[in-house]
Amino acid sequence: MKKTGSQILLECLQLEGVDTVFGYPGGTVINIYDDLMGSPIRHILTRHEQAAVHAADGYARATGKVGVAIATSGPGATNTITGIATAYMDSIPMVIITGQVPTALIGNDAFQEADMVGITRPVTKHNYLVKDIKDLARIIKEAFYIARTGRPGPVLVDLPKDVQIATAKFAYPETVELRGYKPTYSGNTRQIEKAVKMILSAKKPVVYVGGGVTLSNSSHELKDFAEALQAPVTTTLMGMASFPKKHPLSLGMLGMHGTYYANMAVTNSDLLVAIGARFDDRVTGKIATFAPHAKIIHIDIDPTSIKKNVRVDLPIVGDVQDVLQKMIAKLAEHGDEVKVHIDETSTWRQEIDGWKKQHPMSYKNSKSVIKPQFVIEKIRELTRDDAIITTEVGQHQMWTAQFFDFTQPRTFLSSGGLGTMGFGLPSALGAQAAFPDRQVIDISGDGSFQMNSQELATLVQYRLPVKIVILNNNFLGMVRQWQQLFFDRRYSQTCMELPIDFVKLAEAYGATGLSTSKPEEVESVIQKALETPGPVIMEFKIAREENVLPMVPAGAGLNEMVLAS
Ligand SMILES: Cc1ncc(C[n+]2csc(CCOP(=O)(O)OP(=O)(O)O)c2C)c(N)n1
């Protein structure tokens, strides 16, 4: 029996195990939406296509599965770009399906036509324009395969309306054959042996971890590896939840807003073992003074990310999990040498402990005004370990990274690479759709919240009980901080003058709103929000000119931190 293109698409999604898609309809996807009515796939209608893509992204980050979003052609499709670029920068597996004008009209400036293959080329891992229904099933199979294998990423499938209507026999290919795309999973044994030798002869090693550890589900292996060597571990923002912050070997985050002790440890190290990390400039600071005494081992599944930003002494291309497992096995073979190594590096750990005592992560609390760090600590205290925390972008994001002690992978969802304001609320929506019974909290600034606040409607409609924390400083705080420190307090266009009644806004959507400016009420507001069913906004009116510290000024070395303002 023949099936239409839109039926074939939905069958393929089911065969890929997709249970939930996020999207927004329009003329060029109306056939797909018609078929969705009879399909077991759940569709969540967001209020903006950008939010649909962020929601699919949050779903993917929380579950490890491929997130799926659908949008119509033209403006619907172009609205997805920020979401796609966000996922691309953080290597998140997603398939985005956009409608396209009928094939005969492509290139004719037809109504609601946009060249999505052209527009998304730099921000997708791969993209397709389906010109013939006979190719559809194969293309969907390939899209999912490419999205989830190797270094994961978003794949776009642009599907013209006539292809959705055309019919063909449906057969889903069992395997994928792609010339020129063969990710290397298995780390080279020789290189791994070399790495183990380098590690065992190091006196001041530091393990530096990025999002690749989470993406390859290797948190266990990372812990075993670090413990086997008693090596200190620092993470990027994306690596944050993959190593428990309370672990004695944890140094927390490094880089621009990293801890004093992580930045000092990296600067003084003689060996850096970089795992699934890409040496972002927010991490390295001035390249010339980054880990100046260290040899660098770089483990990554993506060969193109190796040696891109820093010199590397030993590259290992492979799946992080595979490489770590092999390293752990090798270390076990060298039992006696490992013991000696642990002994020889004990002075290094003492030196680090000294830095930890000298400048712990701390802030000055206040009885008269709410400090944002205090709110973050209280949220941590009052939530379970498996709570999923999403953030927007700005100071609140950095305070969350600094003061929330994450213990489990996939519990911290934040836009690291692109730094996308407006990511937090829709990604929380996606995570909550995946895990209806888990606590999902979006920690937000007043600026970022307003970028996708319309998604409150989606939360209410689908009964997704996301709790939203707004740390309200009436400022675009992170930009204001830079203006204060580097532009002589000229606060150009960063003051959000209009006092918004966030309680009324919540209520207008049928959600609950709570607000306070009193430090003594912080705890009871959080408790009340957690006990209230459905979505809740908690607004905390915080100290307006609080800064995120430590801070490495742009272009400075990691050891040139500003510790107090
Ligand atoms: C879409 C987008 N536009 C602009 C920026 C630049 N930017 C980075 S942080 C920031 C301020 C964020 O303000 P808010 O959400 O209120 O958080 P706060 O820093 O006050 O905690 C801005 C404008 C961005 N990251 N993303």
PDB file of all heavy atoms in Angstrom, residues 382 514 519-531:
ATOM      1  N   LEU A 382      16.552  23.004  48.923  1.00  0.00           N
ATOM      2  CA  LEU A 382      15.151  22.583  49.005  1.00  0.00           C
ATOM      3  C   LEU A 382      14.713  21.675  47.856  1.00  0.00           C
ATOM      4  O   LEU A 382      13.563  21.266  47.780  1.00  0.00           O
ATOM      5  CB  LEU A 382      14.233  23.811  49.064  1.00  0.00           C
ATOM      6  CG  LEU A 382      14.444  24.718  50.286  1.00  0.00           C
ATOM      7  CD1 LEU A 382      13.657  25.999  50.166  1.00  0.00           C
ATOM      8  CD2 LEU A 382      14.068  23.982  51.573  1.00  0.00           C
ATOM      9  N   LEU A 514       4.543  34.387  42.684  1.00  0.00           N
ATOM     10  CA  LEU A 514       4.947  34.753  44.041  1.00  0.00           C
ATOM     11  C   LEU A 514       6.079  35.766  43.906  1.00  0.00           C
ATOM     12  O   LEU A 514       6.872  35.682  42.975  1.00  0.00           O
ATOM     13  CB  LEU A 514       5.458  33.525  44.813  1.00  0.00           C
ATOM     14  CG  LEU A 514       4.524  32.306  44.902  1.00  0.00           C
ATOM     15  CD1 LEU A 514       5.295  31.099  45.412  1.00  0.00           C
ATOM     16  CD2 LEU A 514       3.332  32.612  45.796  1.00  0.00           C
ATOM     17  N   PRO A 519      14.905  39.102  52.339  1.00  0.00           N
ATOM     18  CA  PRO A 519      15.737  37.893  52.492  1.00  0.00           C
ATOM     19  C   PRO A 519      15.080  36.837  53.376  1.00  0.00           C
ATOM     20  O   PRO A 519      15.182  35.647  53.086  1.00  0.00           O
ATOM     21  CB  PRO A 519      17.019  38.422  53.152  1.00  0.00           C
ATOM     22  CG  PRO A 519      17.058  39.875  52.837  1.00  0.00           C
ATOM     23  CD  PRO A 519      15.647  40.334  52.677  1.00  0.00           C
ATOM     24  N   GLU A 520      14.379  37.282  54.416  1.00  0.00           N
ATOM     25  CA  GLU A 520      13.807  36.288  55.346  1.00  0.00           C
ATOM     26  C   GLU A 520      12.646  35.522  54.718  1.00  0.00           C
ATOM     27  O   GLU A 520      12.198  34.515  55.279  1.00  0.00           O
ATOM     28  CB  GLU A 520      13.405  36.947  56.685  1.00  0.00           C
ATOM     29  CG  GLU A 520      12.240  37.917  56.629  1.00  0.00           C
ATOM     30  CD  GLU A 520      12.657  39.361  56.307  1.00  0.00           C
ATOM     31  OE1 GLU A 520      13.773  39.570  55.791  1.00  0.00           O
ATOM     32  OE2 GLU A 520      11.844  40.272  56.540  1.00  0.00           O
ATOM     33  N   GLU A 521      12.157  35.976  53.555  1.00  0.00           N
ATOM     34  CA  GLU A 521      11.036  35.257  52.931  1.00  0.00           C
ATOM     35  C   GLU A 521      11.470  34.305  51.810  1.00  0.00           C
ATOM     36  O   GLU A 521      10.641  33.583  51.248  1.00  0.00           O
ATOM     37  CB  GLU A 521      10.026  36.269  52.362  1.00  0.00           C
ATOM     38  CG  GLU A 521       9.213  36.944  53.444  1.00  0.00           C
ATOM     39  CD  GLU A 521       8.225  37.969  52.877  1.00  0.00           C
ATOM     40  OE1 GLU A 521       8.150  38.153  51.648  1.00  0.00           O
ATOM     41  OE2 GLU A 521       7.533  38.587  53.714  1.00  0.00           O
ATOM     42  N   VAL A 522      12.755  34.329  51.487  1.00  0.00           N
ATOM     43  CA  VAL A 522      13.235  33.549  50.331  1.00  0.00           C
ATOM     44  C   VAL A 522      12.862  32.071  50.484  1.00  0.00           C
ATOM     45  O   VAL A 522      12.280  31.449  49.579  1.00  0.00           O
ATOM     46  CB  VAL A 522      14.766  33.714  50.153  1.00  0.00           C
ATOM     47  CG1 VAL A 522      15.326  32.692  49.179  1.00  0.00           C
ATOM     48  CG2 VAL A 522      15.077  35.120  49.672  1.00  0.00           C
ATOM     49  N   GLU A 523      13.164  31.520  51.636  1.00  0.00           N
ATOM     50  CA  GLU A 523      12.947  30.102  51.847  1.00  0.00           C
ATOM     51  C   GLU A 523      11.461  29.735  51.736  1.00  0.00           C
ATOM     52  O   GLU A 523      11.094  28.760  51.066  1.00  0.00           O
ATOM     53  CB  GLU A 523      13.499  29.699  53.214  1.00  0.00           C
ATOM     54  CG  GLU A 523      13.568  28.218  53.371  1.00  0.00           C
ATOM     55  CD  GLU A 523      14.543  27.799  54.470  1.00  0.00           C
ATOM     56  OE1 GLU A 523      15.454  28.566  54.829  1.00  0.00           O
ATOM     57  OE2 GLU A 523      14.369  26.678  54.957  1.00  0.00           O
ATOM     58  N   SER A 524      10.601  30.535  52.380  1.00  0.00           N
ATOM     59  CA  SER A 524       9.175  30.186  52.369  1.00  0.00           C
ATOM     60  C   SER A 524       8.576  30.331  50.966  1.00  0.00           C
ATOM     61  O   SER A 524       7.699  29.558  50.573  1.00  0.00           O
ATOM     62  CB  SER A 524       8.402  31.025  53.395  1.00  0.00           C
ATOM     63  OG  SER A 524       8.545  32.386  53.090  1.00  0.00           O
ATOM     64  N   VAL A 525       9.076  31.288  50.197  1.00  0.00           N
ATOM     65  CA  VAL A 525       8.579  31.436  48.819  1.00  0.00           C
ATOM     66  C   VAL A 525       8.962  30.204  47.984  1.00  0.00           C
ATOM     67  O   VAL A 525       8.130  29.646  47.261  1.00  0.00           O
ATOM     68  CB  VAL A 525       9.115  32.735  48.161  1.00  0.00           C
ATOM     69  CG1 VAL A 525       8.928  32.709  46.646  1.00  0.00           C
ATOM     70  CG2 VAL A 525       8.411  33.953  48.752  1.00  0.00           C
ATOM     71  N   ILE A 526      10.201  29.757  48.129  1.00  0.00           N
ATOM     72  CA  ILE A 526      10.628  28.579  47.354  1.00  0.00           C
ATOM     73  C   ILE A 526       9.804  27.366  47.778  1.00  0.00           C
ATOM     74  O   ILE A 526       9.295  26.617  46.936  1.00  0.00           O
ATOM     75  CB  ILE A 526      12.133  28.293  47.539  1.00  0.00           C
ATOM     76  CG1 ILE A 526      12.965  29.473  47.032  1.00  0.00           C
ATOM     77  CG2 ILE A 526      12.541  27.015  46.799  1.00  0.00           C
ATOM     78  CD1 ILE A 526      14.447  29.396  47.368  1.00  0.00           C
ATOM     79  N   GLN A 527       9.652  27.217  49.087  1.00  0.00           N
ATOM     80  CA  GLN A 527       8.894  26.073  49.585  1.00  0.00           C
ATOM     81  C   GLN A 527       7.461  26.094  49.052  1.00  0.00           C
ATOM     82  O   GLN A 527       6.950  25.087  48.564  1.00  0.00           O
ATOM     83  CB  GLN A 527       8.854  26.100  51.105  1.00  0.00           C
ATOM     84  CG  GLN A 527       9.321  24.798  51.696  1.00  0.00           C
ATOM     85  CD  GLN A 527      10.008  25.014  53.027  1.00  0.00           C
ATOM     86  OE1 GLN A 527       9.903  26.095  53.624  1.00  0.00           O
ATOM     87  NE2 GLN A 527      10.698  23.999  53.490  1.00  0.00           N
ATOM     88  N   LYS A 528       6.861  27.258  49.116  1.00  0.00           N
ATOM     89  CA  LYS A 528       5.477  27.383  48.650  1.00  0.00           C
ATOM     90  C   LYS A 528       5.392  27.054  47.154  1.00  0.00           C
ATOM     91  O   LYS A 528       4.481  26.345  46.711  1.00  0.00           O
ATOM     92  CB  LYS A 528       4.989  28.814  48.926  1.00  0.00           C
ATOM     93  CG  LYS A 528       3.591  29.075  48.463  1.00  0.00           C
ATOM     94  CD  LYS A 528       2.822  29.997  49.394  1.00  0.00           C
ATOM     95  CE  LYS A 528       1.359  29.973  48.994  1.00  0.00           C
ATOM     96  NZ  LYS A 528       0.857  31.279  48.602  1.00  0.00           N
ATOM     97  N   ALA A 529       6.347  27.552  46.397  1.00  0.00           N
ATOM     98  CA  ALA A 529       6.339  27.295  44.949  1.00  0.00           C
ATOM     99  C   ALA A 529       6.462  25.802  44.669  1.00  0.00           C
ATOM    100  O   ALA A 529       5.765  25.261  43.808  1.00  0.00           O
ATOM    101  CB  ALA A 529       7.484  28.051  44.277  1.00  0.00           C
ATOM    102  N   LEU A 530       7.358  25.133  45.405  1.00  0.00           N
ATOM    103  CA  LEU A 530       7.568  23.705  45.165  1.00  0.00           C
ATOM    104  C   LEU A 530       6.323  22.894  45.540  1.00  0.00           C
ATOM    105  O   LEU A 530       6.057  21.854  44.949  1.00  0.00           O
ATOM    106  CB  LEU A 530       8.788  23.189  45.938  1.00  0.00           C
ATOM    107  CG  LEU A 530      10.144  23.786  45.515  1.00  0.00           C
ATOM    108  CD1 LEU A 530      11.280  23.227  46.363  1.00  0.00           C
ATOM    109  CD2 LEU A 530      10.432  23.537  44.031  1.00  0.00           C
ATOM    110  N   GLU A 531       5.573  23.394  46.491  1.00  0.00           N
ATOM    111  CA  GLU A 531       4.367  22.674  46.921  1.00  0.00           C
ATOM    112  C   GLU A 531       3.148  23.000  46.051  1.00  0.00           C
ATOM    113  O   GLU A 531       2.148  22.289  46.082  1.00  0.00           O
ATOM    114  CB  GLU A 531       4.026  23.053  48.374  1.00  0.00           C
ATOM    115  CG  GLU A 531       4.949  22.408  49.390  1.00  0.00           C
ATOM    116  CD  GLU A 531       4.927  23.136  50.732  1.00  0.00           C
ATOM    117  OE1 GLU A 531       4.022  23.981  50.945  1.00  0.00           O
ATOM    118  OE2 GLU A 531       5.817  22.862  51.555  1.00  0.00           O
TER     119      GLU A 531
END
